[in-house]
Short mmCIF file of all heavy atoms in Angstrom, two decimals:
data_model
loop_
_atom_site.label_atom_id
_atom_site.label_comp_id
_atom_site.label_asym_id
_atom_site.label_seq_id
_atom_site.Cartn_x
_atom_site.Cartn_y
_atom_site.Cartn_z
N LYS A 1 74.49 36.89 -9.67
CA LYS A 1 73.95 36.91 -8.30
C LYS A 1 72.75 36.00 -8.17
O LYS A 1 72.58 35.33 -7.16
CB LYS A 1 73.57 38.34 -7.91
CG LYS A 1 74.75 39.24 -7.67
CD LYS A 1 74.30 40.61 -7.23
CE LYS A 1 75.49 41.52 -7.01
NZ LYS A 1 75.07 42.87 -6.60
N THR A 2 71.90 35.97 -9.20
CA THR A 2 70.71 35.11 -9.12
C THR A 2 71.10 33.64 -9.14
O THR A 2 70.50 32.83 -8.43
CB THR A 2 69.74 35.40 -10.28
OG1 THR A 2 70.45 35.27 -11.52
CG2 THR A 2 69.16 36.78 -10.17
N GLN A 3 72.13 33.29 -9.92
CA GLN A 3 72.58 31.90 -9.95
C GLN A 3 73.15 31.50 -8.59
O GLN A 3 72.90 30.40 -8.10
CB GLN A 3 73.63 31.69 -11.03
CG GLN A 3 73.09 31.73 -12.43
CD GLN A 3 74.18 31.65 -13.47
OE1 GLN A 3 75.29 32.11 -13.25
NE2 GLN A 3 73.86 31.09 -14.62
N ARG A 4 73.92 32.40 -7.98
CA ARG A 4 74.48 32.10 -6.65
C ARG A 4 73.37 31.98 -5.62
O ARG A 4 73.41 31.11 -4.75
CB ARG A 4 75.48 33.18 -6.25
CG ARG A 4 76.78 33.12 -7.04
CD ARG A 4 77.83 34.01 -6.42
NE ARG A 4 77.42 35.40 -6.33
CZ ARG A 4 77.83 36.38 -7.12
NH1 ARG A 4 78.69 36.12 -8.07
NH2 ARG A 4 77.41 37.61 -6.95
N ALA A 5 72.37 32.84 -5.72
CA ALA A 5 71.25 32.79 -4.77
C ALA A 5 70.45 31.50 -4.93
O ALA A 5 70.07 30.86 -3.95
CB ALA A 5 70.34 34.00 -4.96
N LYS A 6 70.22 31.09 -6.19
CA LYS A 6 69.50 29.83 -6.43
C LYS A 6 70.29 28.64 -5.89
O LYS A 6 69.72 27.74 -5.28
CB LYS A 6 69.25 29.64 -7.92
CG LYS A 6 68.18 30.53 -8.48
CD LYS A 6 68.00 30.30 -9.96
CE LYS A 6 66.96 31.22 -10.56
NZ LYS A 6 66.83 31.01 -12.01
N ALA A 7 71.60 28.64 -6.12
CA ALA A 7 72.42 27.54 -5.63
C ALA A 7 72.41 27.49 -4.10
O ALA A 7 72.32 26.42 -3.50
CB ALA A 7 73.85 27.68 -6.15
N SER A 8 72.47 28.66 -3.47
CA SER A 8 72.44 28.73 -2.02
C SER A 8 71.10 28.23 -1.47
O SER A 8 71.05 27.48 -0.50
CB SER A 8 72.69 30.16 -1.56
OG SER A 8 72.63 30.26 -0.17
N ALA A 9 70.01 28.63 -2.12
CA ALA A 9 68.69 28.19 -1.68
C ALA A 9 68.54 26.68 -1.87
O ALA A 9 67.96 25.99 -1.01
CB ALA A 9 67.60 28.92 -2.47
N ALA A 10 69.09 26.15 -2.95
CA ALA A 10 69.01 24.71 -3.19
C ALA A 10 69.79 23.95 -2.12
O ALA A 10 69.34 22.92 -1.62
CB ALA A 10 69.53 24.37 -4.57
N ARG A 11 70.98 24.46 -1.77
CA ARG A 11 71.77 23.81 -0.71
C ARG A 11 71.02 23.83 0.62
O ARG A 11 70.99 22.85 1.36
CB ARG A 11 73.13 24.50 -0.56
CG ARG A 11 74.13 24.13 -1.61
CD ARG A 11 75.53 24.59 -1.25
NE ARG A 11 75.61 26.02 -1.05
CZ ARG A 11 75.85 26.92 -2.00
NH1 ARG A 11 76.03 26.50 -3.24
NH2 ARG A 11 75.93 28.20 -1.74
N ALA A 12 70.39 24.97 0.94
CA ALA A 12 69.62 25.07 2.19
C ALA A 12 68.45 24.10 2.19
O ALA A 12 68.17 23.46 3.21
CB ALA A 12 69.13 26.51 2.38
N ALA A 13 67.78 23.98 1.05
CA ALA A 13 66.64 23.05 0.97
C ALA A 13 67.10 21.61 1.15
O ALA A 13 66.44 20.82 1.84
CB ALA A 13 65.93 23.23 -0.37
N ARG A 14 68.24 21.26 0.52
CA ARG A 14 68.75 19.89 0.69
C ARG A 14 69.15 19.63 2.14
O ARG A 14 68.90 18.56 2.67
CB ARG A 14 69.95 19.67 -0.24
CG ARG A 14 69.58 19.51 -1.69
CD ARG A 14 70.74 18.99 -2.52
NE ARG A 14 71.92 19.82 -2.47
CZ ARG A 14 72.20 20.80 -3.34
NH1 ARG A 14 71.37 21.05 -4.33
NH2 ARG A 14 73.30 21.50 -3.22
N LYS A 15 69.72 20.64 2.79
CA LYS A 15 70.12 20.48 4.19
C LYS A 15 68.89 20.27 5.07
O LYS A 15 68.88 19.39 5.94
CB LYS A 15 70.90 21.71 4.65
CG LYS A 15 71.45 21.60 6.04
CD LYS A 15 72.27 22.82 6.40
CE LYS A 15 72.82 22.72 7.81
NZ LYS A 15 73.60 23.91 8.16
N GLU A 16 67.83 21.05 4.83
CA GLU A 16 66.60 20.90 5.61
C GLU A 16 65.97 19.53 5.37
O GLU A 16 65.48 18.89 6.30
CB GLU A 16 65.60 21.99 5.24
CG GLU A 16 65.98 23.36 5.77
CD GLU A 16 65.00 24.43 5.35
OE1 GLU A 16 63.88 24.09 4.91
OE2 GLU A 16 65.34 25.62 5.47
N ALA A 17 66.02 19.06 4.13
CA ALA A 17 65.46 17.74 3.82
C ALA A 17 66.23 16.64 4.56
O ALA A 17 65.63 15.70 5.09
CB ALA A 17 65.48 17.49 2.32
N ARG A 18 67.56 16.76 4.57
CA ARG A 18 68.37 15.76 5.30
C ARG A 18 68.06 15.79 6.79
O ARG A 18 67.97 14.74 7.44
CB ARG A 18 69.86 16.03 5.07
CG ARG A 18 70.35 15.59 3.72
CD ARG A 18 71.85 15.57 3.65
NE ARG A 18 72.45 16.85 3.95
CZ ARG A 18 72.80 17.77 3.05
NH1 ARG A 18 72.61 17.55 1.78
NH2 ARG A 18 73.35 18.90 3.42
N GLN A 19 67.89 17.00 7.35
CA GLN A 19 67.57 17.10 8.77
C GLN A 19 66.19 16.50 9.06
O GLN A 19 66.00 15.84 10.07
CB GLN A 19 67.62 18.55 9.22
CG GLN A 19 69.03 19.12 9.28
CD GLN A 19 69.06 20.60 9.60
OE1 GLN A 19 68.04 21.28 9.53
NE2 GLN A 19 70.23 21.11 9.93
N ALA A 20 65.23 16.74 8.17
CA ALA A 20 63.89 16.18 8.36
C ALA A 20 63.93 14.66 8.28
O ALA A 20 63.27 13.97 9.07
CB ALA A 20 62.93 16.74 7.31
N GLU A 21 64.71 14.12 7.35
CA GLU A 21 64.85 12.66 7.24
C GLU A 21 65.49 12.09 8.50
O GLU A 21 65.07 11.05 9.01
CB GLU A 21 65.69 12.30 6.02
CG GLU A 21 64.97 12.49 4.71
CD GLU A 21 65.87 12.19 3.53
OE1 GLU A 21 66.99 11.70 3.73
OE2 GLU A 21 65.44 12.46 2.40
N ALA A 22 66.51 12.76 9.01
CA ALA A 22 67.17 12.29 10.22
C ALA A 22 66.21 12.32 11.40
O ALA A 22 66.19 11.39 12.22
CB ALA A 22 68.41 13.14 10.51
N ALA A 23 65.41 13.38 11.50
CA ALA A 23 64.44 13.48 12.59
C ALA A 23 63.38 12.38 12.47
O ALA A 23 63.00 11.77 13.47
CB ALA A 23 63.78 14.86 12.58
N ALA A 24 62.92 12.12 11.24
CA ALA A 24 61.93 11.07 11.04
C ALA A 24 62.51 9.70 11.40
O ALA A 24 61.84 8.86 12.01
CB ALA A 24 61.44 11.07 9.59
N GLU A 25 63.75 9.48 11.02
CA GLU A 25 64.42 8.20 11.34
C GLU A 25 64.58 8.04 12.85
O GLU A 25 64.34 6.97 13.41
CB GLU A 25 65.79 8.14 10.65
CG GLU A 25 66.49 6.82 10.80
CD GLU A 25 65.75 5.69 10.10
OE1 GLU A 25 65.08 5.92 9.08
OE2 GLU A 25 65.86 4.55 10.59
N ALA A 26 64.96 9.13 13.53
CA ALA A 26 65.11 9.06 14.99
C ALA A 26 63.75 8.79 15.65
O ALA A 26 63.67 8.03 16.62
CB ALA A 26 65.69 10.37 15.50
N LEU A 27 62.70 9.40 15.11
CA LEU A 27 61.36 9.18 15.65
C LEU A 27 60.93 7.73 15.47
O LEU A 27 60.39 7.11 16.38
CB LEU A 27 60.36 10.12 14.98
CG LEU A 27 58.92 10.03 15.47
CD1 LEU A 27 58.82 10.40 16.94
CD2 LEU A 27 58.03 10.93 14.64
N LYS A 28 61.23 7.18 14.28
CA LYS A 28 60.89 5.77 14.04
C LYS A 28 61.63 4.85 15.00
O LYS A 28 61.07 3.89 15.54
CB LYS A 28 61.23 5.38 12.59
CG LYS A 28 60.26 5.89 11.57
CD LYS A 28 60.67 5.43 10.19
CE LYS A 28 59.77 5.98 9.11
NZ LYS A 28 60.20 5.55 7.77
#
């Protein structure tokens, strides 16, 4: 369960980072 939770949190963090990059690119 902890491995699945870590993997899920890592996927969420990567998704947020991609969204932040997209927002920064749109702002630029």
